[in-house]
Amino acid sequence: MIIDHPLLGPRDANEFVYLGDANLINRPDWTEKDADKQFYEYLYLRDNPSGYHRELWYHEQGDRSWLIVTRNTSTHEIKQVELAKDYHLEKSKSK
Amino acid sequence: MKYSLLKIIKEGITGNKNWRPIWRDPEPKKSYDIVIIGGGGHGLSTAYYLSNLYGLNDVAVIEKGWIGSGNVGRNTTIIRSNYMLPGNEPFYELSMKLWEGLEQDFNYNAMISQRGILNLCHSDAQRDAFARRGNAMKLAGADAELLDEDGVRQVCPFLDFENARFPIKGGLAQKRGGTVRHDAVAWGYARGADNKGVDIIQNCEVTGFKIDNGVCRGVETSAGFIKANKVASCVAGSSSKVMGFAGMRLPIESHVLQAFVSEGLKPILPGVITFGAGHFYVSQSDKGGLVFGGDIDGYNSYAQRGNLPVVEDVCEGGMAIMPMIGRSRLLRIWGGIMDMSMDGSPFIDKTDIKGLYFNGGWCYGGFKATPASGLCYAHLLATDEPHEVATEFRLDRFINGNMIDEKGVGAQPNLH
């Protein structure tokens, strides 16, 4: 697979380390009342879709950025690649 | 029809005219006591033990494709019981014992060959860890033998003992381990279940469940609705998809694992050999091909095919322990989809929905577990109590902290 890095262009997927579902960015708030349940679901349960999946890849052998890759798990086709940092900034702005 | 030497001779001299299909191809009935979703190894063995051991034969196995088309026919055929943790080892040892008597039990030649498995170690620390694992295996009634370098040399003189990076220091052997003809396992269980009246319904896809007030009443399929008192999901690889129909999210990711077969070679490997410093395992089939594999690709996938970096990684592992493997040519590469669970261990459990049962999360160790998985699942379905060796394979074990994490890497499925 080739991941089209927003800053570095097309890079071999072998340069990256895979973490998993991009939802892992949305860490629950530990002060909430049902935080233990939220953390259980956050840490252990997955949507695991067949089809498009937003997931975190870390460019370890490159610029060490975290990317959010939207990839089809049935065909390995990559639709969209964004910097996790941009996503995070966007999210905190909208808060 | 019972298979025997006499039967073969009789058929041989009368022109082999009386062999019949060994399972029926029935239309689904409107209703069953138990419907098993998934006609793979585990689903068929569950049906076999339900009908043969627990006397329940109002059972249907519903399979999307044809039986044996999934992971039971895509694995590297290794059987072993060299686990360590108390939640796992008694279960896998029961499986090993069932393998040992399986062919007589279901009167079918599954070519079970206890040629042994040898895990190589490459450092003192790893030898210590293997000694501990071997002792844990013995405590659970399995066999284990710690070999020093000379011991390994006697059985596998061709290995690269002087490898500069990963010299071979010894190994942990389980002589009762070995290989099985995997699709014959599916056929043997299917035949045994069918003989007792279990309906094996192929080319019939489950598209949903009928759930009223938290009680599962049956399954929607491509052949219409089928009513059932109990529905048993057994579709490792696609568990999230199927249980998603019931609105459940599972502690599982689907990943692709590749396997490889070389061209046929003269007999060289005495049994199964695994590399201790990377991930590589190899055995030789009776046809002569080297059957080998390694790590999963490491990203979520339902594609049943992998990518080249893992091919390279696996072949590097092979070259590190037996450089002669570089002279053989690859014949086939394929991929299968694994349920990778959050602690690397499986589930055989009820769900919060009454009448809906779940078996899955086998990571890439499902084949060796086929007989015990079927037996324990059948026990759960028949008695509503977990089998004594499968009490820890619970779906809720992550909430209460009772993980069975053999590797100790935490909730990172692609590392198990």
Side-chain angles (χ1 to χ4, degrees):
Chain A
M1 286 188 296
I2 303 286
I3 294 175
D4 198 359
H5 194 296
L7 304 174
L8 303 176
R11 307 300 309 175
D12 188 335
N14 214 18
E15 295 174 3
F16 294 79
V17 174
Y18 179 83
L19 183 68
D21 194 323
N23 195 37
L24 290 168
I25 295 177
N26 305 319
R27 197 179 170 82
D29 181 354
W30 65 271
T31 58
E32 301 240 344
K33 236 182 173 173
D34 61 341
D36 52 346
K37 182 168 173 280
Q38 284 191 37
F39 267 99
Y40 159 67
E41 289 177 1
Y42 164 81
L43 187 58
Y44 293 113
L45 301 186
R46 300 285 188 273
D47 288 337
N48 192 23
S50 162
Y52 286 109
H53 184 229
R54 280 162 57 79
E55 54 201 22
L56 288 166
W57 292 74
Y58 175 57
H59 200 190
E60 190 180 36
Q61 291 172 47
D63 69 345
R64 307 218 165 172
S65 58
W66 283 95
L67 302 182
I68 299 177
V69 177
T70 307
R71 192 178 57 93
N72 190 325
T73 56
S74 301
T75 61
H76 298 163
E77 170 226 352
I78 292 171
K79 194 167 87 172
Q80 194 191 5
V81 184
E82 45 194 323
L83 287 169
K85 196 172 142 194
D86 288 351
Y87 168 82
H88 191 70
L89 287 174
E90 200 62 37
K91 217 183 87 186
S92 36
K93 245 193 274 174
S94 63
K95 254 185 189 169
Chain B
M1 174 175 50
K2 198 165 160 60
Y3 291 134
S4 64
L5 183 62
L6 207 66
K7 176 87 181 154
I8 291 173
I9 293 169
K10 192 176 151 220
E11 287 298 327
I13 53 178
T14 55
N16 287 309
K17 283 187 202 120
N18 291 315
W19 298 115
R20 292 282 172 265
I22 59 174
W23 59 82
R24 296 163 297 130
D25 194 13
E27 288 296 314
K29 289 192 284 182
K30 291 263 176 285
S31 131
Y32 290 93
D33 184 21
I34 300 173
V35 165
I36 298 167
I37 307 170
H42 292 210
L44 293 167
S45 70
T46 305
Y48 175 82
Y49 291 112
L50 273 174
S51 53
N52 284 266
L53 208 60
Y54 293 92
L56 299 172
N57 54 12
D58 189 18
V59 176
V61 179
I62 299 179
E63 164 59 40
K64 182 173 84 168
W66 63 94
I67 61 169
S69 63
N71 289 337
V72 70
R74 303 175 88 88
N75 56 71
T76 43
T77 78
I78 297 165
I79 58 170
R80 58 188 173 87
S81 63
N82 53 3
Y83 285 71
M84 189 170 77
L85 297 180
N88 272 335
E89 181 58 15
F91 171 84
Y92 287 103
E93 179 52 23
L94 172 68
S95 206
M96 197 68 228
K97 290 198 170 78
L98 289 170
W99 282 119
E100 287 174 324
L102 186 64
E103 289 170 317
Q104 294 304 318
D105 186 26
F106 68 15
N107 179 236
Y108 200 81
N109 181 11
M111 294 168 67
I112 292 165
S113 163
Q114 292 183 291
R115 54 187 71 182
I117 177 164
L118 173 63
N119 303 127
L120 299 173
C121 65
H122 307 270
S123 66
D124 291 345
Q126 197 171 24
R127 190 194 295 119
D128 290 348
F130 278 7
R132 181 182 172 216
R133 173 138 59 107
N135 286 332
M137 288 160 65
K138 285 184 162 176
L139 285 173
D143 65 312
E145 193 182 335
L146 196 63
L147 301 178
D148 59 6
E149 191 186 322
D150 280 340
V152 176
R153 268 184 205 276
Q154 279 176 20
V155 279
C156 300
F158 51 82
L159 294 174
D160 188 7
F161 288 86
E162 316 299 335
N163 185 295
R165 180 68 182 86
F166 302 117
I168 293 165
K169 298 289 191 189
L172 182 67
Q174 185 182 24
K175 290 190 171 159
R176 288 159 65 236
T179 58
V180 180
R181 174 157 187 207
H182 50 193
D183 35 20
V185 175
W187 299 333
Y189 276 128
R191 172 173 169 266
D194 182 89
N195 279 345
K196 293 280 181 182
V198 172
D199 283 356
I200 297 166
I201 299 155
Q202 303 182 74
N203 301 306
C204 177
E205 185 174 356
V206 167
T207 53
F209 298 102
K210 189 174 178 208
I211 296 167
D212 296 333
N213 297 324
V215 182
C216 186
R217 307 284 184 192
V219 287
E220 302 286 352
T221 73
S222 53
F225 176 71
I226 299 173
K227 192 169 168 297
N229 294 331
K230 291 177 181 176
V231 176
S233 170
C234 199
V235 293
S238 302
S239 291
S240 296
K241 261 195 221 175
V242 170
M243 299 310 277
F245 295 144
M248 287 177 66
R249 283 176 86 215
L250 300 176
I252 284 172
E253 286 180 6
S254 293
H255 284 258
V256 59
L257 175 68
Q258 303 188 63
F260 309 80
V261 173
S262 79
E263 60 190 333
L265 302 166
K266 286 186 176 174
I268 175 75
L269 300 186
V272 184
I273 302 169
T274 75
F275 180 36
H279 201 168
F280 174 81
Y281 44 88
V282 62
S283 63
Q284 191 168 19
S285 76
D286 291 345
K287 276 193 285 187
L290 302 178
V291 183
F292 58 96
D295 267 325
I296 53 175
D297 272 39
Y299 44 81
N300 288 42
S301 175
Y302 283 93
Q304 288 196 324
R305 61 189 163 77
N307 275 296
L308 291 172
V310 167
V311 177
E312 188 178 14
D313 182 65
V314 169
C315 293
E316 281 169 358
M319 292 297 286
I321 56 168
M322 38 186 290
M324 65 178 175
I325 206 172
R327 300 296 296 273
S328 69
R329 281 164 294 190
L330 266 187
L331 207 59
R332 292 185 290 137
I333 305 178
W334 67 95
I337 304 305
M338 314 291 127
D339 266 9
M340 296 303 295
S341 68
M342 291 292 152
D343 59 357
S345 295
F347 307 97
I348 302 176
D349 201 1
K350 302 178 206 175
T351 67
D352 290 337
I353 299 161
K354 196 171 179 307
L356 181 61
Y357 298 76
F358 178 68
N359 175 325
W362 290 98
C363 299
Y364 38 88
F367 178 68
K368 75 178 84 68
T370 306
S373 167
L375 180 69
C376 294
Y377 204 23
H379 185 92
L380 177 71
L381 287 164
T383 65
D384 263 336
E385 293 292 329
H387 190 279
E388 58 174 359
V389 299
T391 52
E392 297 197 24
F393 297 155
R394 297 171 60 105
L395 260 174
D396 65 358
R397 63 175 181 258
F398 299 103
I399 304 175
N400 45 37
N402 294 321
M403 285 72 121
I404 319 170
D405 195 340
E406 287 275 341
K407 256 179 154 180
V409 295
Q412 189 62 47
N414 60 352
L415 299 182
H416 285 293

